[in-house]
Amino acid sequence: MIRRVRYTLLHTYVFTKMLMPHWPWLIGLPLSMAFIVFLNKTAGIAIPYIDWVWMDIIGEGGLALFMVTWMLIVLATREPGFITNWMAFGFLCLCASSFQDMLDEIYVLPDAVSWDKWIESAPVGLVSLVIGLILWYREQRQLKKYLNKRSGVLQNDLALHEDSFLPQWSALAKAVQDVPAHQPTLVVLRVAPEVRSQPPLSMQDQSKLRFLIAEMLLWNSPDSSQVFQLTGEGYALLSAAPVSQEQINDVVLLLRSMRFRGKGHKQATLLEVKSRTLIFENALSDSELRSKVQEIQSDLAMTCDGIQNSQSIVNVHVV
């Protein structure tokens, strides 16, 4: 019971924290509702409590509450911006429409009053929300293009590395077992910041660097390959079909050309990149694969592959 309460409080805190950048809408929402109540109270006559139609009050008030909930969810999942503002304004107007519709069951307004009809009709809210959804659709199309390379990694795998968001060893072992038996290629990489002339990177900088390396590998590795994170400095590329060594060398050289400036560093940090290629002729068990990869990682920690240009050939092992 205590664990469930703590879990609820933690996620409530996180949700509230995500809403903080949208404080103008959080202030405007209750002020708008209070202003509508003020208008109805000053211009109308209160209906006796016994004559309230509770079915209408619950239904229309519940709809207004749902509008508020949807608005808060949208705000919590988006950054401030004009698309967010269109959607939030649309939900706010629709909430005001349902709220005014509910107040009609509590206050009777004179026939000369017309502003309540405009609030209830909600043309502004509907148009604003439609505009926001159209802009959101266009935004999602752009994001889909950008995340197309990432989508295969992020879907159907919850055990992702916390820094790089790449699948880890369990996913690699399963992918090796599932790959067709026509000599799959596994490239083991060791990518570490060069610290001989620079102070060590902070934990935050190391996390940021791992994410950048993962992006570089995803966007520049062969299309047929999958990218995995083995350890903090260990990565792997798995391809179901043989990959030309020139393609692998290009990826290594591209990583070597990267420069990363840590917080407080006067100069950019270089990357030491080492690689080893495995071509599987026979199926390996999980323990055999783990032993072979650990052996290669240990070897890469002490040796260099010696790539100087895109035409040079690194060591290739057939297992």
Side-chain angles (χ1 to χ4, degrees), residues 26-39:
L26 300 179
I27 295 175
L29 178 63
L31 289 180
S32 301
M33 301 303 106
F35 183 65
I36 292 175
V37 172
F38 172 77
L39 290 177

Side-chain angles (χ1 to χ4, degrees), residues 86-311:
W86 274 112
M87 298 176 71
F89 184 69
F91 280 121
L92 177 61
C93 291
L94 292 176
C95 174
S97 173
S98 300
F99 190 63
Q100 175 60 45
D101 210 12
M102 181 197 73
L103 290 178
D104 285 346
E105 310 299 330
I106 301 176
Y107 295 97
V108 176
L109 297 174
D111 294 337
V113 173
S114 60
W115 50 260
D116 62 320
K117 306 298 188 298
W118 281 99
I119 296 178
E120 290 179 24
S121 63
V124 177
L126 289 173
V127 172
S128 300
L129 184 58
V130 169
I131 292 175
L133 290 174
I134 292 174
L135 295 174
W136 173 79
Y137 166 74
R138 292 177 58 187
E139 178 188 72
Q140 291 303 304
R141 288 184 59 187
Q142 293 178 341
L143 286 173
K144 186 177 181 180
K145 291 180 181 179
Y146 175 76
L147 296 174
N148 185 48
K149 194 77 174 180
R150 272 282 189 184
S151 61
V153 173
L154 297 176
Q155 293 177 355
N156 302 318
D157 194 340
L158 300 179
L160 301 178
H161 192 274
E162 60 181 3
D163 293 333
S164 64
F165 298 101
L166 291 175
Q168 302 183 80
W169 173 262
S170 58
L172 173 61
K174 184 178 184 300
V176 170
Q177 299 298 325
D178 295 342
V179 79
H182 49 269
Q183 294 188 337
T185 302
L186 176 67
V187 181
V188 181
L189 295 162
R190 183 178 184 273
V191 186
E194 193 274 318
V195 295
R196 285 172 292 183
S197 58
Q198 288 282 359
L201 297 175
S202 64
M203 296 296 293
Q204 183 178 3
D205 284 335
Q206 291 181 28
S207 175
K208 187 185 300 183
L209 179 59
R210 292 190 186 106
F211 178 78
L212 294 176
I213 292 172
E215 290 292 295
M216 186 72 75
L217 289 172
L218 283 169
W219 286 102
N220 295 281
S221 58
D223 293 337
S224 61
S225 62
Q226 304 175 61
V227 184
F228 303 88
Q229 175 125 27
L230 303 179
T231 60
E233 299 177 347
Y235 301 84
L237 307 178
L238 177 66
S239 176
V243 178
S244 69
Q245 200 59 49
E246 285 74 13
Q247 289 180 294
I248 299 172
N249 291 347
D250 286 340
V251 172
V252 173
L253 289 170
L254 188 61
L255 289 171
R256 286 186 174 183
S257 68
M258 284 182 62
R259 301 293 185 269
F260 180 79
R261 187 182 297 277
K263 187 176 182 180
H265 285 206
K266 296 181 179 180
Q267 295 181 343
T269 300
L270 305 178
L271 297 182
E272 292 183 343
V273 186
K274 307 173 185 179
S275 69
R276 188 66 53 82
T277 303
L278 294 178
I279 298 178
F280 298 102
E281 286 191 331
N282 302 306
L284 296 179
S285 64
D286 184 272
S287 59
E288 291 174 333
L289 178 63
R290 183 183 296 273
S291 176
K292 179 62 66 175
V293 171
Q294 288 177 344
E295 178 185 343
I296 292 175
Q297 287 184 301
S298 178
D299 187 34
L300 291 178
M302 297 180 292
T303 62
C304 182
D305 54 30
I307 290 183
Q308 299 298 328
N309 56 66
S310 62
Q311 301 301 320

